[in-house]
Amino acid sequence: MRAARLIKMVLLLQSRQPMTAAELARELEVSERTVTRDAQALSEAGVPVYADRGRAGGYRLVGGYRTRLTGLARGEAEALFLSGVPGALRDMGLEDAASAARLKVSAALLPAVRDASRTAAQRFHLDAPAWFREPEAPALLPAVAEAVWSDRRITARYRRGEDGEEVVRELEPYGLVLKAGVWYLCARAAEHASGGGPGPHRAGEAAPGADTVRRAHRVYRVDRLTAVDAGEERFARDEAFDLPAFWAERAEQFARSILRAEVVVRLSEEGVRRLAHAVDPAAAREALAVAAPVDEHGRRTVTLPVESEEVAHAQLTALGPEAEVLAPASLRARLTRDARRLAGLYGTPGPAGAEGTGPAGAEGTTGAAGGPGAG
């Protein structure tokens, strides 16, 4: 532990000297007294650490001393490529490895470009979680990430979403994906299919057929894992597996699979423009691509795939008078009732006496969906 700290201290001084005892103590997470002892130990070992006294003083390396201890370990090199996602690194337990890798790279750079990491961090930042969700890392994420890095098979207990039943799976963890603040595991499982099983198979289970063992890549939400046991056995990774391509294909399949219902909507020009912001963008584009031409009133009628009538009600309500639902009749009736209730609410003067004006219409109100600084 102390040896690693001494090396880190040398690298810190090599990359951004001089540094005060307080600065070193903060970076090394020790006391200033420990920094003093470590500097003395380095000096006795032949590393020319010199302490300048006074207000502008601090520790520095004398005579342009440079260490050769800047080679990256495999874990540090791999973590470095993820350093643009600091929250993800922290969740997977790789924050220390990434910090060490950045420090080594900084120490190896020429003085003229040594501040590159700082200037880049001041200009670009990736905030992966969605708005209005408190990001919470799954408790088992570090264990899963370790298995992914080391190509180790895991025995996982998984809580299925459709019925909440817990099942045990032997998985070969190929990769992790962070999507809108939710972690997903892409893994390959041995699936045992038996021809004698009665009834339809569950989603995520092997389909009935001849006795065989098949392997397929699947997606599991990490927050539904209730237990993970990583053994010593490693699996042979399929080098042809492309995680980004696999995820893009599965994400598209998922988006299409949940669109099980249809609604017929007549849209104004403004409704056409806003449709992709209210419903699934791909579904909106496809519906508009095959829609009939604009009618004599400047409106277009589209048949739109939706998840359910309940979801469509919430989505199309956002379009207000720019969308008229023609079918199904039950959804049209719900929106008709909503329109009557709105007419009752807004048919009388607001609290200030101005027609159609209430507290919610005050100029300067920031829309929730826009985030900070939204116009």
Side-chain angles (χ1 to χ4, degrees), residues 42-266:
L42 287 170
S43 181
E44 293 173 355
V47 179
V49 178
Y50 182 78
D52 290 318
R53 301 186 181 278
R55 180 176 299 179
Y59 289 94
R60 61 185 177 86
L61 297 175
V62 178
Y65 175 87
R66 298 183 66 79
T67 177
R68 296 182 181 274
L69 298 173
T70 51
L72 293 179
R74 168 172 287 276
E76 295 168 346
E78 291 170 335
L80 184 61
F81 287 100
L82 295 172
S83 58
V85 196
L89 283 169
R90 183 178 58 253
D91 294 345
M92 291 189 291
L94 297 173
E95 191 173 26
D96 290 343
S99 176
R102 287 192 297 267
L103 187 57
K104 288 182 178 181
V105 170
S106 179
L109 293 174
L110 294 173
V113 293
R114 199 166 283 160
D115 64 342
S117 61
R118 181 180 60 82
T119 56
Q122 289 174 339
R123 288 164 174 78
F124 300 99
H125 176 68
L126 177 61
D127 186 8
W131 284 110
F132 312 114
R133 290 183 57 178
E134 190 68 28
E136 183 176 345
L140 295 175
L141 178 61
V144 175
E146 173 61 28
V148 169
W149 283 121
S150 58
D151 293 338
R152 294 185 186 277
R153 285 193 174 93
I154 61 174
T155 302
R157 183 173 291 276
Y158 186 73
R159 187 180 66 254
R160 292 195 295 210
E162 63 267 23
D163 54 16
E165 179 187 357
E166 286 197 354
V167 294
V168 176
R169 293 286 182 266
E170 299 288 334
L171 299 177
E172 296 175 351
Y174 266 66
L176 285 163
V177 175
L178 177 60
K179 171 70 171 180
V182 180
W183 284 95
Y184 296 89
L185 170 66
C186 302
R188 188 169 67 175
E191 299 171 340
H192 299 273
S194 173
H201 66 282
R202 296 177 181 269
E205 297 289 337
D211 291 342
T212 184
V213 175
R214 296 182 293 108
R215 290 191 178 275
H217 291 92
R218 294 188 173 178
V219 177
Y220 303 85
R221 281 186 57 144
V222 179
D223 59 4
R224 290 182 183 167
L225 294 173
T226 59
V228 171
D229 180 20
E232 295 300 320
E233 184 182 3
R234 297 177 183 269
F235 64 90
R237 175 178 287 268
D238 179 3
E239 296 301 329
F241 178 75
D242 185 334
L243 179 60
F246 169 78
W247 177 257
E249 179 184 356
R250 282 304 175 93
E252 183 179 357
Q253 290 175 359
F254 172 75
R256 292 178 180 276
S257 70
I258 64 174
L259 302 179
R260 301 187 181 94
E262 285 186 346
V263 298
V264 181
V265 188
R266 188 153 52 205

Side-chain angles (χ1 to χ4, degrees), residues 13-24:
L13 293 176
Q14 183 173 315
S15 61
R16 41 182 149 143
Q17 61 177 323
M19 295 182 70
T20 66
E23 290 171 337
L24 284 168

Side-chain angles (χ1 to χ4, degrees), residues 9 21 31-41 59:
M9 183 174 180
S31 67
E32 292 185 34
R33 184 183 297 273
T34 299
V35 168
T36 301
R37 288 198 298 265
D38 286 351
Q40 180 65 30
Y59 289 94

Side-chain angles (χ1 to χ4, degrees), residues 1-9 28:
M1 179 67 74
R2 190 189 185 198
R5 189 176 71 240
L6 292 175
I7 292 173
K8 185 174 183 179
M9 183 174 180
L28 300 172

